[in-house]
């Protein structure tokens, strides 16, 4: 059965929009206080194109989501999340199994790393996305284990020192705060788990 793209789109967008203030507060501690606004603007633009997106097959739909985020999200996170969704759209088959998702996510992470010239442990969204992709590829992942891992990895960015993005300008003062992009990635992963498990 193909994934329920309509619910995935609606729930991911709704959760990100609802978390705008929280994400902006995180970004005000170690950035320029716009991550929540950026993401909200991006996902409102995605919802504005909802009908056109849902008329497309999964791959094309995800590419459109990615292109919309690139165009509408200001800041570093727009091109980065845009690259993530566009690559997922390119790599995922119409009816993906967990192994397909793991492979596509690894491909998207490689593209994201190249785009942002970043790596793991730089205190970015990659520190949530990477471990989740590896976990999915390892076999035996459950919705609960994916949710727990994403939350744990977002929390694990707190003691990290930022090496990439605006937060890196703060040097050691970036330590002690959760990375906003890690938190937005966690929120999206949790939303996807909730929809696929039938909880949302
Ligand atoms: P900006 O930093 O331009 O204000 P946002 O505030 O929307 O953009 O996004 C900040 C988030 O983007 C960070 O919390 C981090 O997770 C992510 N990020 C920033 N630079 C990079 C990079 N080079 N590679 C991966 N992620 C990055
Ligand atoms: Mg910012």
């Amino acid at each position: 059965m193909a994934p329920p793209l309509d619910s995935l789109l609606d729930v991911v967008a709704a959760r990100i929009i609802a978390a705008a203030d929280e994400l902006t507060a995180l970004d005000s501690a170690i950035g320029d206080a716009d991550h929540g606004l950026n993401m909200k603007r991006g996902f409102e633009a995605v919802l504005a194109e909802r009908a056109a997106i849902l008329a497309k097959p999964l791959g094309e739909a995800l590419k459109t989501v990615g292109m919309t985020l690139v165009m509408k999200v200001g800041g570093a996170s727009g091109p980065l999340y845009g690259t993530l969704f566009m690559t997922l759209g390119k790599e995922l088959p119409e009816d993906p199994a967990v192994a397909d998702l793991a492979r596509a996510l690894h491909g998207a992470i490689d593209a994201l790393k190249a785009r942002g010239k970043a790596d793991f442990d730089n205190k970015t969204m990659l520190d949530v996305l990477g471990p989740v992709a590896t976990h999915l590829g390892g076999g035996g992942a459950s919705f609960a284990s994916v949710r727990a891992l994403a939350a744990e990895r977002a929390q694990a960015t707190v003691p990290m020192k930022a090496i990439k993005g605006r937060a890196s300008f703060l040097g050691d003062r970036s330590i002690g705060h959760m990375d906003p992009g890690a938190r937005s990635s966690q929120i999206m992963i949790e939303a996807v788990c909730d929809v696929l498990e039938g909880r949302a």
Side-chain angles (χ1 to χ4, degrees):
M1 198 179 67
L5 190 55
D6 52 351
S7 319
L8 286 169
L9 200 67
D10 290 345
V11 176
V12 169
R15 299 270 181 94
I16 287 291
I17 291 167
D21 288 349
E22 181 200 344
L23 295 172
T24 286
L26 291 174
D27 199 30
S28 73
I30 58 168
D32 56 353
D34 65 354
H35 188 56
L37 285 174
N38 286 341
M39 297 297 286
K40 181 168 183 270
R41 190 180 327 111
F43 277 94
E44 281 173 350
V46 167
L47 287 180
E49 289 181 53
R50 186 182 187 278
I53 291 170
L54 294 181
K56 299 175 192 228
L58 179 67
E60 292 307 311
L62 287 170
K63 283 185 207 165
T64 306
V65 169
M67 284 187 298
T68 305
L69 294 178
V70 170
M71 286 188 295
K72 300 288 168 150
V73 179
S77 58
L80 295 169
Y81 275 128
T83 298
L84 183 82
F85 281 97
M86 286 191 285
T87 314
L88 286 176
K90 205 166 67 183
E91 303 278 335
L92 277 177
E94 272 316 290
D95 184 5
V98 175
D100 298 315
L101 189 57
R103 193 179 28 75
L105 198 51
H106 276 300
I109 287 164
D110 286 344
L112 206 158
K113 279 182 174 174
R115 176 94 206 201
K117 300 186 174 54
D119 208 337
F120 301 127
D121 297 324
N122 289 175
K123 193 179 178 106
T124 72
M125 54 179 77
L126 286 166
D127 294 318
V128 169
L129 297 168
V132 167
T134 302
H135 180 57
L136 289 173
S142 67
F143 291 114
S145 68
V146 172
R147 274 191 206 94
L149 180 64
E152 179 197 311
R153 296 325 298 166
Q155 199 61 42
T157 65
V158 173
M160 290 183 187
K161 176 175 164 176
I163 310 287
K164 284 286 165 186
R166 260 175 221 285
S168 66
F169 305 159
L170 292 180
D172 285 343
R173 281 183 294 133
S174 65
I175 295 170
H177 305 276
M178 186 182 292
D179 176 64
R183 175 68 177 139
S184 56
S185 286
Q186 183 211 339
I187 289 170
M188 286 193 251
I189 289 163
E190 196 170 80
V192 170
C193 286
D194 288 355
V195 170
L196 296 181
E197 201 186 12
R199 284 204 202 176

